[in-house]
Amino acid sequence: MRSLEAGERTALRIADVSYSYGELAERSLRMAGWLRASVPGNSARIGVLASRSVDAYAAVLGTCLAGFTYVPLNPELPDERLAALLTRSRLDALIADRPVPDGVRACAPPRILSPDERALLDQTRPLERPAEVAADAHAYIMFTSGTTGVPKGVIVTAGNVAHYLEGMRQRCPIEPSDRVSQFFEFTFDPSVSDLFMTLGAGASLHTVPASQLMAPARFIKDEQLTVWYSVPSTVAMMRKMKLLSPGSFPTLRASIFSGEPLPHSSVEAWLAAAPNSIIENHYGPTEVTVNCTSDRYSKATPNVTETRGMLSIGTPYPYMSAAILGEDRCFLPPGETGELAMSGPQVAEGYFDDPELTARRFVRLRSSTSGDAVWYLTGDLAYEDAGGR
């Protein structure tokens, strides 16, 4: 990671404050040093109860540098919900960027690093060298929102992440001169792309304030962003607020959207506001490591879903395979609608402490193109067109 070698270049900007690669590296390595000194063994789950602060970034990076697994937790959740997640995830340590409420602390692991324990970090030597991890080591466990039931903890490995980042570099590379948005919370896995694509390229990451998430037009202009990544509903809200006047965002060179269907009308409005930008629509469940398919928009030949006006989710990333399955899990030909399934090195290990659900959703199938392989059943209906999208 270039944060260890890029010195005084800006790595991160939060609330008009810039942090250099050197500063972020020192904070992260000190966090990693505290973790290695406090947590026994070479594998551990570290909760990160933090949001949009330099300590939040140092906690995630420090956990990775220590060779441990980070488990992001949303500090805005009710105390009862946080306590339940802490109990379920059986963490080895918890890092927070704010005081931990007593009710939450009662369910937390004994090793806690929060502003109340700041002296513990100040007394710790930074880690001298990042830990090496195997491809099958757990990089993070991402709990779903749980809006339709009990939250599922998706186990994503270091190898999954490495393949995802390589696929993104081939589709939409970040350059050292780029100024990239940080739109997503760490509890939403596109944050993996924001953080590691940007810092891995030596570019600068610009954290969107929570107050501007739904209308970030001023932020894009003030920060002179060159790469934007968000959910499509942000575009719809900005259109409603009349914030997408022609030529509004001349500095943008790349705009990426995922997490929701992308309306063709939103693409056209965004392209008018960002005339120098390419636009890409990406798709991927958390279980397939952030995103696994993408389609680059072409104004001359837009790939739009028939009758719905939504942009195609495109074709799979390198080394990934997509298939449409019938009710009996047979592989359907182009044009027929069925369940979208994904296979390849980005498919996650499974669900934390839930082998039954893992067996239902991560299934081994044999196809003429991929042979015998594990496929993740997304639950999403889709069809493949004649062009392979």
Side-chain angles (χ1 to χ4, degrees):
M1 187 178 67
R2 295 195 184 185
S3 61
L4 303 180
E5 58 191 51
E8 295 307 310
R9 291 173 59 89
T10 296
L12 182 63
R13 274 182 57 80
I14 306 172
D16 297 326
V17 178
S18 295
Y19 300 90
S20 71
Y21 271 89
E23 290 172 314
L24 185 58
E26 196 280 334
R27 286 173 179 261
S28 302
L29 287 168
R30 188 174 295 276
M31 195 76 74
W34 177 80
L35 287 169
R36 294 300 298 191
S38 304
V39 181
N42 291 317
S43 63
R45 290 186 294 276
I46 312 301
V48 177
L49 184 65
S51 173
R52 301 182 189 276
S53 67
V54 67
D55 286 341
Y57 291 93
V60 170
L61 294 172
T63 301
C64 295
L65 292 168
F68 294 156
T69 304
Y70 77 90
V71 183
L73 302 165
N74 187 348
E76 299 303 320
L77 288 176
D79 289 357
E80 297 80 5
R81 183 81 174 277
L82 278 174
L85 283 173
L86 286 169
T87 300
R88 185 177 174 196
S89 54
R90 303 193 310 278
L91 301 174
D92 296 282
L94 177 67
I95 302 172
D97 65 353
R98 62 204 67 195
V100 180
D102 291 341
V104 175
R105 187 177 283 267
C107 299
R111 304 173 188 90
I112 298 178
L113 185 64
S114 74
D116 294 333
E117 293 89 11
R118 187 73 194 186
L120 295 174
L121 191 62
D122 296 336
Q123 298 164 7
T124 302
R125 290 173 59 88
L127 190 69
E128 293 185 359
R129 178 180 298 180
E132 294 185 7
V133 297
D136 62 355
H138 297 170
Y140 58 84
I141 298 175
M142 194 77 64
F143 281 92
T144 61
S145 64
T147 53
T148 57
V150 177
K152 302 184 293 289
V154 182
I155 303 171
V156 178
T157 68
N160 295 151
V161 176
H163 277 95
Y164 165 71
L165 294 175
E166 180 57 31
M168 275 295 285
R169 291 186 193 106
Q170 293 186 34
R171 296 276 175 140
C172 192
I174 302 297
E175 304 296 334
S177 59
D178 277 321
R179 301 164 67 87
V180 185
S181 66
Q182 166 71 79
F183 177 89
F184 300 99
E185 292 286 353
F186 288 133
T187 49
F188 193 17
D189 65 341
S191 62
V192 172
S193 187
D194 291 342
L195 183 59
F196 295 105
M197 282 292 291
T198 303
L199 299 187
S204 59
L205 188 62
H206 300 246
T207 302
V208 184
S211 61
Q212 297 187 49
L213 287 173
M214 295 310 296
R218 175 54 58 188
F219 182 83
I220 295 171
K221 296 174 186 176
D222 289 348
E223 297 295 309
Q224 297 184 325
L225 298 184
T226 62
V227 179
W228 175 260
Y229 182 17
S230 75
V231 291
S233 54
T234 302
V235 183
M237 179 62 69
M238 294 171 74
R239 288 182 67 194
K240 186 176 181 179
M241 298 176 69
K242 303 187 184 305
L243 296 175
L244 296 181
S245 56
S248 297
F249 313 134
T251 60
L252 287 181
R253 69 165 188 85
S255 302
I256 304 166
F257 299 99
S258 73
E260 303 161 350
L262 177 58
H264 186 205
S265 58
S266 290
V267 173
E268 292 182 316
W270 188 267
L271 191 59
N276 302 314
S277 178
I278 63 167
I279 295 180
E280 292 206 344
N281 185 35
H282 290 238
Y283 162 87
T286 303
E287 290 88 344
V288 194
T289 314
V290 189
N291 293 312
C292 54
T293 74
S294 70
D295 193 17
R296 180 166 295 188
Y297 178 72
S298 167
K299 192 172 181 63
T301 56
N303 302 315
V304 180
T305 303
E306 293 179 8
T307 73
R308 295 183 61 230
M310 299 294 176
L311 212 64
S312 155
I313 62 170
T315 56
Y317 281 17
Y319 316 113
M320 294 297 293
S321 299
I324 308 299
L325 304 181
E327 292 184 0
D328 57 357
R329 294 184 179 172
C330 64
F331 290 80
L332 298 178
E336 292 196 31
T337 297
E339 182 177 9
L340 177 61
M342 299 297 307
S343 183
Q346 289 182 217
V347 174
E349 181 177 302
Y351 296 113
F352 180 69
D353 271 1
D354 199 336
E356 182 179 342
L357 183 59
T358 297
R360 291 205 308 266
R361 299 290 293 276
F362 296 81
V363 300
R364 187 167 290 277
L365 301 172
R366 178 174 291 277
S367 72
S368 58
T369 56
S370 301
D372 186 51
V374 173
W375 291 79
Y376 172 68
L377 310 182
T378 67
D380 292 329
L381 291 178
Y383 69 89
E384 180 184 343
D385 69 9
R389 292 175 292 273

